[in-house]
């Protein structure tokens, strides 16, 4: 079963790479021209393609692995053990000689070593990311204090209603937080480094984190990191993770400044600059500043006009569906 799962992952990784490679090569053509919202959908299509558990033996990519697996069953016309490692007797009832059985046993051992190595690294990465996130949450919660300023709580309620957020969102302060951020899937909380913020700065900051919450961006980040853990051997997946994370913040910025004038955008950009210095947060949280690495791109994005074209999204979706043609679910 685990060997079949490993082959399925390899098949999904290869077919997903057929989507990611053109996106990598064409990045200069769409990165500054296509709206960040549509780029968000593109990465979502790629993410779903990398996780859909379709059988590897159904499409052209699966056929490649089927042929490779078949090579271990028949070599030079001789009957060798099947993929499950059992050594069957020839039709005459005579046992296979050691010379005939050795290549099959070696191939079975190699396949077993590969899937165990893949599974071990995948589990180690997943555990590391989950424990790092839990440790960071515990570190922040240990020193936070609920905000009790009525004006700020009223502002949070007004902005939440205006943003379409109906679930309760807590508001806390922790000086150890380098930047405003959103934590928690079940009990979301906006954490501020300080409650002594000018009213305008406070409103912009809270609005940004509420947009993250409304869009379920924490779940999006968990999805991307799960893909990284499963496909850790594919360098294109790591590139996708970085691009998806960067685009997530740009997309949130777009939502915050949508329909606003240049003065609003200018002030929002100033707040980004003030919060960027020294900003460092785990990949599985959302944060307002984002650090100096992304600051230039985020400031440029605030005043840039993007076309809301669906052409590229349709192309990516069509390519993903084409790869799934005539597929079936595996019996794992």
């Amino acid at each position: 079963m685990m060997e079949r799962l490993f082959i399925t992952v390899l098949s999904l990784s290869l077919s997903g790479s057929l989507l990611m490679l053109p996106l990598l090569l064409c990045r200069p053509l769409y990165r500054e021209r296509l709206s960040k919202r549509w780029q968000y959908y593109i990465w979502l299509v790629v993410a779903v393609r990398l996780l859909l558990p379709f059988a590897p033996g159904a499409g052209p990519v699966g056929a490649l692995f089927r042929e490779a697996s078949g090579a271990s069953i028949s070599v030079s016309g001789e009957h060798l053990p099947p993929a499950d490692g059992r050594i069957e007797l020839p039709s005459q009832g005579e046992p296979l000689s050691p010379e005939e059985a050795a290549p099959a046993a070696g191939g079975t051992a190699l396949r077993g070593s590969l899937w165990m190595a893949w599974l071990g690294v995948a589990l180690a990465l997943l555990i590391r990311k989950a424990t790092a996130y839990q440790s960071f949450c515990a570190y922040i919660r240990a020193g936070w204090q609920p905000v009790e300023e009525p004006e700020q709580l009223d502002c949070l309620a007004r902005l939440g209603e205006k943003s379409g957020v109906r679930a309760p969102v807590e508001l806390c302060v922790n000086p150890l937080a380098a930047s405003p951020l959103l934590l928690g899937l079940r009990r979301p909380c906006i954490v501020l480094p300080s409650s002594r913020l000018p009213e305008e700065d406070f409103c912009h900051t809270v609005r940004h984190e509420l947009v993250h919450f409304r869009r379920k961006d924490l779940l999006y980040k968990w999805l991307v990191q799960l893909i990284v853990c499963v496909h850790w051997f594919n360098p294109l997946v790591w590139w996708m993770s970085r691009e998806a994370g960067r685009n997530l913040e740009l997309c949130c910025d777009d939502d915050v400044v949508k329909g606003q004038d240049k003065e609003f955008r200018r002030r929002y950009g100033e707040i980004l600059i003030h919060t960027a210095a020294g900003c460092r947060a785990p990949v599985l949280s959302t944060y307002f500043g984002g650090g100096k690495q992304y600051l230039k791109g985020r400031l440029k994005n605030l005043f840039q006009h993007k076309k809301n074209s669906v052409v590229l999204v349709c192309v990516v979706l069509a390519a993903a569906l084409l790869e799934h043609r005539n597929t079936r679910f595996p019996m794992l």
Side-chain angles (χ1 to χ4, degrees):
M1 180 186 297
M2 293 305 302
E3 184 177 328
R4 289 189 61 192
L5 177 61
F6 177 53
I7 294 177
T8 300
V9 170
L10 289 177
S11 178
L12 291 174
S13 193
L14 180 56
S15 57
S17 297
L18 298 179
L19 293 177
M20 291 184 287
L21 189 58
L23 290 174
L24 174 62
L25 297 177
C26 299
R27 182 171 52 173
L29 300 178
Y30 69 83
R31 189 170 184 176
E32 306 298 340
R33 295 177 175 85
L34 191 64
S35 74
K36 298 304 181 290
R37 184 181 63 156
W38 287 112
Q39 293 184 46
Y40 177 96
Y41 293 143
I42 288 173
W43 293 123
L44 185 59
V45 170
V46 175
V48 170
R49 180 64 190 93
L50 285 166
L51 282 183
L52 281 180
F54 283 94
V61 175
L64 175 63
F65 288 99
R66 186 174 61 227
E67 292 176 4
S69 179
S72 65
I73 301 177
S74 178
V75 178
S76 300
E78 298 181 0
H79 184 73
L80 293 180
D84 59 8
R86 295 173 299 174
I87 300 180
E88 299 179 357
L89 297 178
S91 57
Q92 294 84 357
E94 297 178 359
L96 293 175
S97 67
E99 292 78 8
E100 293 173 323
T108 302
L110 177 60
R111 291 195 301 272
S113 299
L114 288 176
W115 76 254
M116 285 190 291
W118 161 75
L119 183 61
V121 175
L123 290 177
L125 283 174
L126 183 60
I127 293 173
R128 178 186 176 189
K129 290 178 183 295
T131 53
Y133 177 70
Q134 291 297 328
S135 297
F136 181 80
C137 289
Y139 171 75
I140 294 296
R141 289 192 179 105
W144 74 17
Q145 295 292 330
V147 172
E148 299 179 351
E149 294 293 332
E151 295 82 4
Q152 293 184 340
L153 294 177
D154 289 343
C155 179
L156 173 63
R158 290 196 308 270
L159 291 175
E161 183 177 357
K162 186 179 296 185
S163 301
V165 175
R166 295 179 175 84
V169 179
E170 298 180 24
L171 183 63
C172 295
V173 175
N174 188 338
L176 298 178
S179 170
L181 50 87
L182 175 68
L183 287 180
L185 293 172
R186 291 179 298 177
R187 293 181 53 195
C189 181
I190 297 175
V191 183
L192 305 175
S194 172
S195 60
R196 298 178 181 178
L197 293 175
E199 181 179 357
E200 186 180 23
D201 293 14
F202 176 84
C203 290
H204 287 341
T205 301
V206 169
R207 191 193 307 266
H208 178 94
E209 301 303 337
L210 286 173
V211 168
H212 273 310
F213 176 71
R214 189 197 72 215
R215 292 162 50 89
K216 309 298 182 185
D217 285 342
L218 282 175
L219 290 176
Y220 184 93
K221 285 198 167 189
W222 273 103
L223 174 65
V224 171
Q225 293 308 308
L226 176 61
I227 294 171
V228 169
C229 294
V230 173
H231 298 274
W232 56 265
F233 52 85
N234 190 336
L236 287 177
V237 170
W238 292 88
W239 169 78
M240 181 209 73
S241 171
R242 186 181 68 249
E243 288 295 306
R246 179 186 292 115
N247 181 74
L248 193 71
E249 292 298 329
L250 296 175
C251 192
C252 184
D253 292 340
D254 276 354
D255 268 12
V256 173
V257 303
K258 183 179 180 180
Q260 303 293 337
D261 56 20
K262 289 185 177 180
E263 179 59 26
F264 182 97
R265 295 167 183 259
R266 182 192 64 79
R267 182 56 187 155
Y268 185 82
E270 290 177 353
I271 300 174
L272 284 178
I273 295 174
H274 293 158
T275 57
C279 177
R280 185 62 177 162
V283 71
L284 290 170
S285 66
T286 65
Y287 41 98
F288 184 74
K292 298 178 181 179
Q293 181 181 4
Y294 302 148
L295 181 58
K296 182 178 179 181
R298 294 180 70 177
L299 293 175
K300 184 179 179 181
N301 178 65
L302 295 178
F303 299 93
Q304 195 172 41
H305 176 72
K306 282 82 61 177
K307 297 180 180 180
N308 290 324
S309 173
V310 300
V311 175
L312 185 56
V313 179
C314 291
V315 170
V316 174
L317 182 59
L321 293 176
L322 181 63
E323 188 62 37
H324 283 171
R325 186 178 57 184
N326 298 325
T327 55
R328 59 181 177 84
F329 286 102
M331 300 299 295
L332 296 178

